[in-house]
Amino acid sequence: MLWVLPAPAALAIDEARIAQAFAEQARYLAAEAVSYEHGEGVPRDQAYAARLYCESARLGDAQAMYSLGWMYANGRGIERNDAYANTLFAMASFAGDALAARMQRVTGSYTGAVPDCLHTPAAILQQRWPVDALIARLSAERQAIARLLADLAPQYGIEPALALAIGLTESALNPQALSPKNAMGVMQLIPETAVRFNVSRPYDPEQNIRGGLAYLRWLLAYFEGDIAFVAAGYNAGEGAVDRYRGVPPYRETQAYVDRILRHVGQELHPFDSAVTKPSQMLRGLRLAAQEDQET
C-alpha cells in the first residue's frame, strides 16, 4: 500500500516546519555549546561543548561548524587536528559563514577528514532493523522524511532498508543538509547528479529523494546488484569504483560501505537490467576470478 501524499500546499507547510525544526534544534545546541565552552552560567566543559557543536554542525548549523573547527585548530579542550579543522571551516564556508571562508584561506582546503561525531549516530542506525520499527524510533522531524523515503523506494525497485540506510548515513534525513562538496538535501546530491537525474529543486525533500533513488536504481543495474559497489559508487562515484576495480581505497568510502552493508545485512540486491548496461569492470573481475580457479 502506497503512502498518500498530502496536497501540495500542505506538503509545503510540512517541509517548512521540518526545516524549521532542524534549524531550531541546531541553534539551541550551538547556544548551549557556547555556554559550556566559556563557562557562561554553567561549569566550563570544553569537551562537552565540542560534542554539542558537533551535533549542531551535523544538523547543518554553520556557526557550529566554524566554532568546532576553531576548537580543533587551536586544541581548545580537545586534541588539535588541523585536518578536521580544515574540513569544518570548508563546511561552514559552503554554508555561508564569512569568517570560515577567511579561515579556510589560512588553514587550507577541504580534506575530507571529519570527526566521528559528524557521522550518523549508531543509535539511529540499527543492524538489520525492521523499517517500521526504525521509523517509530526517530524524532518527529525525521519520521516524515523517513516515511516518504521508505514509501517511494519500491517505486524505483529499491528495498526500503537500503534506501533508509543511504538516507540516514548521508544526511541523517536532514532535507537542508549541505556538505563541503556542495552535496545537497536528504540524499546529498551533488549538482552534477542533480542535473543528471532531473532534480531542479534539491532542497525539496520529495524531488531530492526521487533523484537519489533514481541514482541508486541506476547503480544497482550498473553493478548488477552488488551493494558494496553500489554504496561505494554512491559515495565516491561509479567512475572511482571502475578505476579501482572495486571499493576505492579511500578511508571515507570504505567506512561508508562497511556501514551500509552492516545495516542492510545483505550483499546483493535485485536490479533491473533494462536500466543500463553493466560495468565492463565486472566482466574483468569475473574473468580474473575464473583464471584464478583454473590455475
Side-chain angles (χ1 to χ4, degrees):
M1 178 178 177
L2 294 178
W3 185 47
V4 179
L5 294 175
L11 183 59
I13 293 172
D14 287 344
E15 291 169 4
R17 287 175 177 170
I18 290 168
Q20 182 180 1
F22 272 105
E24 288 177 354
Q25 176 69 359
R27 284 194 295 269
Y28 168 77
L29 291 170
E32 286 288 288
V34 170
S35 299
Y36 281 98
E37 181 184 3
H38 301 289
E40 299 173 353
V42 294
R44 190 178 186 188
D45 188 338
Q46 292 183 327
Y48 183 57
R51 289 169 55 192
L52 292 172
Y53 278 136
C54 204
E55 176 62 12
S56 178
R58 201 172 62 81
L59 293 174
D61 188 85
Q63 182 59 49
M65 297 170 193
Y66 173 81
S67 297
L68 185 60
W70 183 264
M71 293 184 78
Y72 274 114
N74 293 276
R76 179 180 292 174
I78 52 178
E79 185 176 353
R80 178 173 174 171
N81 190 311
D82 290 339
Y84 289 171
N86 292 348
T87 296
L88 286 158
F89 286 142
M91 290 171 65
S93 176
F94 269 115
D97 190 285
L99 284 175
R102 288 200 290 272
M103 284 299 298
Q104 193 181 358
R105 288 196 290 270
V106 175
T107 61
S109 60
Y110 168 74
T111 65
V114 294
D116 288 341
C117 59
L118 278 181
H119 294 297
T120 304
I124 292 179
L125 283 172
Q126 299 295 324
Q127 189 171 12
R128 300 193 183 195
W129 24 254
V131 169
D132 289 338
L134 168 70
I135 294 175
R137 287 197 298 270
L138 296 174
S139 64
E141 296 82 13
R142 289 190 176 99
Q143 280 189 21
I145 300 298
R147 178 52 61 192
L148 179 61
L149 179 53
D151 286 340
L152 288 175
Q155 297 181 21
Y156 293 81
I158 297 170
E159 295 175 4
L162 175 60
L164 280 168
I166 295 290
L168 282 162
T169 304
E170 286 290 337
S171 71
L173 304 180
N174 180 359
Q176 301 302 313
L178 175 67
S179 83
K181 294 181 180 178
N182 209 26
M184 300 168 284
V186 176
M187 303 298 280
Q188 289 289 273
L189 304 179
I190 61 172
E192 293 85 350
T193 305
V195 170
R196 179 178 172 186
F197 292 97
N198 301 313
V199 176
S200 59
R201 301 189 306 277
Y203 292 108
D204 174 89
E206 181 176 352
Q207 193 175 125
N208 182 284
I209 287 169
R210 287 187 179 277
L213 291 173
Y215 186 30
L216 276 175
R217 176 175 60 187
W218 188 92
L219 287 168
L220 283 166
Y222 188 67
F223 292 121
E224 296 189 332
D226 187 309
I227 293 177
F229 289 174
V230 168
Y234 199 96
N235 179 261
E238 63 270 14
V241 180
D242 283 337
R243 284 195 303 275
Y244 287 101
R245 295 169 59 85
V247 177
Y250 311 147
R251 183 185 307 173
E252 175 190 342
T253 301
Q254 290 177 345
Y256 183 95
V257 170
D258 287 344
R259 189 165 200 164
I260 298 300
L261 288 174
R262 185 170 67 251
H263 297 301
V264 173
Q266 62 192 54
E267 296 181 355
L268 296 175
H269 186 290
F271 63 93
D272 183 354
S273 60
V275 172
T276 190
K277 294 180 179 179
S279 167
Q280 288 298 308
M281 177 269 296
L282 297 177
R283 184 172 182 272
L285 289 180
R286 291 179 185 130
L287 288 173
Q290 182 178 350
E291 290 173 0
D292 288 342
Q293 287 180 350
E294 291 175 352
T295 56

